[in-house]
Amino acid sequence: MSRFCGAVAAGLFAALLGPMQAFSAEPVGQATLIRTEVTGEAGPLVVRSPVHRDERIRTSTSGLGQFVFKDGTKLAVGAGSTVVIDKFVYDDSDSVKRLSIKAAKGTFRWISGNSASSAYSIVTPAGTIGVRGTAFDFYVGPNGTTAIVLLNGSASFCGPGGCRQLRQQCDCVVATRGGRMTDPSQVDRRTLQTLSNPRALPFLSGDQQLSGALGGIRTSCGLASLRQDRQDRPQRQQRQEQPSPQAPQQAPQAPQAPQQTPQQAPDTPDKPDKPDHHHDWDHHDWDHHDWDHGGRDHHDRDHRGHDRDDDDHDRDGHNGHRSDN
């Protein structure tokens, strides 16, 4: 009985101590911006809330969190995301020997801090992102498919299918959990189609707005027009469904009967003076002119208003053809 009581007491103590240990762990950074709902191990986070090593951070379907680590590294966590601060090993200076995060799902933006490039690594279900003094966005889908878009510097992505190097601004690589990986190419709307998520890169398309240094990156890689296009499309469809007020539809009119020249009786000549002579008068056939109905043009009016969708002038992101915004 005493052993049972002791085991129960130990279990309760461990259950209570676990959250306290996580909360009391030395912080490795803090929140600089919180929108809607962002939670850590100890509950909801607010601006200036500390974040700790091994802490799991989650955002709601509309949530957004921005964080800065002690070496100056900045991380944005977009809507519907989950990330774990995996490893954080201090150096003697303002840099770190190791900073590693595990991104389980969602959308993120990363800007490197003061530490050596070799100190950083980002682990995703499809592979690992290697950092080279870099800023980039990356997305992890529900099935583990991962996309990375380089914003400046350089980066690498290594998975079961090998490694790819991203060296030019807006280079993008998409990799699956099974090892398939694309070559670096310019990100465009087809990338979002491949990811089956039009909001996979919300910081580039403008679906979520960042602040400070995280929001100070000037390029959208040609995706900024996508959000406006989604907003305009319902209005265009509504205009197309409504009939044009300038040309109301009219019921088709029956063809009119041809107008004919009214027949007139021939003038009656004066009767002869002598009634003993009987004259048979000639009856002249009056020509009836048939009107040519085939020559009457019937123009059907187009009662539909034609609204032409504005063409999206995004750059075509093929290999070897790159354009920076």
Side-chain angles (χ1 to χ4, degrees):
M1 184 66 178
S2 61
R3 292 181 179 177
F4 176 77
C5 293
V8 171
L12 290 173
F13 180 77
L16 293 173
L17 186 60
M20 293 177 60
Q21 287 179 333
F23 183 76
S24 62
E26 188 172 4
V28 297
Q30 69 175 8
T32 59
L33 182 145
I34 299 293
R35 291 178 184 160
T36 311
E37 184 178 358
V38 182
T39 59
E41 294 294 337
L45 298 176
V46 297
V47 174
R48 296 186 181 177
S49 288
V51 292
H52 308 83
R53 189 186 63 214
D54 298 329
E55 185 170 9
R56 183 181 300 271
I57 298 171
R58 298 181 179 90
T59 61
S60 66
T61 55
S62 60
L64 172 65
Q66 292 184 197
F67 303 90
V68 60
F69 295 97
K70 286 192 171 182
D71 73 328
T73 296
K74 298 171 181 62
L75 175 68
V77 183
S81 304
T82 301
V83 64
V84 177
I85 312 302
D86 184 39
K87 293 181 175 63
F88 196 96
V89 180
Y90 287 106
D91 200 343
D92 295 335
S93 61
D94 292 335
S95 61
V96 295
K97 293 181 179 179
R98 183 76 180 275
L99 173 55
S100 175
I101 67 171
K102 289 183 177 180
K105 66 173 183 177
T107 60
F108 308 88
R109 172 168 290 181
W110 170 282
I111 297 180
S112 298
N114 301 321
S115 302
S117 298
S118 59
Y120 303 117
S121 64
I122 299 171
V123 180
T124 75
T128 300
I129 302 172
V131 180
R132 302 289 182 270
T134 314
F136 53 85
D137 285 8
F138 63 102
Y139 166 79
V140 180
N143 60 355
T145 298
T146 300
I148 173 175
V149 179
L150 184 69
L151 301 178
N152 59 56
S154 61
S156 64
F157 190 91
C158 296
C163 292
R164 301 288 188 273
Q165 303 296 322
L166 297 92
R167 296 187 176 90
Q168 298 189 43
Q169 189 178 63
C170 300
D171 267 354
C172 176
V173 169
V174 178
T176 66
R177 190 192 295 266
R180 290 183 297 175
M181 189 182 307
T182 65
D183 291 327
S185 63
Q186 189 88 5
V187 66
D188 58 20
R189 63 177 58 238
R190 291 173 298 180
T191 307
L192 303 180
Q193 295 172 356
T194 300
L195 299 173
S196 300
N197 185 354
R199 293 176 172 81
L201 299 167
F203 309 137
L204 293 177
S205 64
D207 286 297
Q208 286 193 300
Q209 301 291 332
L210 300 176
S211 67
L214 284 163
I217 296 176
R218 297 303 179 186
T219 182
S220 68
C221 295
L223 299 183
S225 63
L226 297 182
R227 178 172 176 266
Q228 185 64 39
D229 182 63
R230 287 196 301 271
Q231 292 176 342
D232 291 345
R233 189 178 297 118
Q235 298 178 4
R236 291 196 299 266
Q237 292 175 348
Q238 184 178 7
R239 291 198 301 268
Q240 290 175 352
E241 292 172 357
Q242 294 177 351
S244 174
Q246 297 179 355
Q249 295 187 0
Q250 299 177 357
Q253 298 179 357
Q256 298 178 356
Q259 296 180 357
Q260 297 180 353
T261 303
Q263 296 182 2
Q264 297 178 355
D267 295 336
T268 303
D270 295 333
K271 292 183 179 181
D273 296 334
K274 296 181 180 181
D276 56 339
H277 296 285
H278 178 75
H279 295 276
D280 292 328
W281 299 99
D282 293 334
H283 296 282
H284 298 280
D285 293 330
W286 295 88
D287 293 337
H288 296 276
H289 298 282
D290 292 330
W291 295 83
D292 184 7
H293 300 289
R296 301 169 66 88
D297 292 333
H298 297 279
H299 299 283
D300 293 329
R301 293 182 179 179
D302 186 1
H303 304 293
R304 296 169 297 175
H306 294 281
D307 289 328
R308 183 176 63 184
D309 294 341
D310 294 335
D311 293 333
D312 292 313
H313 297 280
D314 293 335
R315 287 178 298 278
D316 188 10
H318 297 286
N319 292 336
H321 179 73
R322 313 177 186 278
S323 60
D324 300 338
N325 289 346

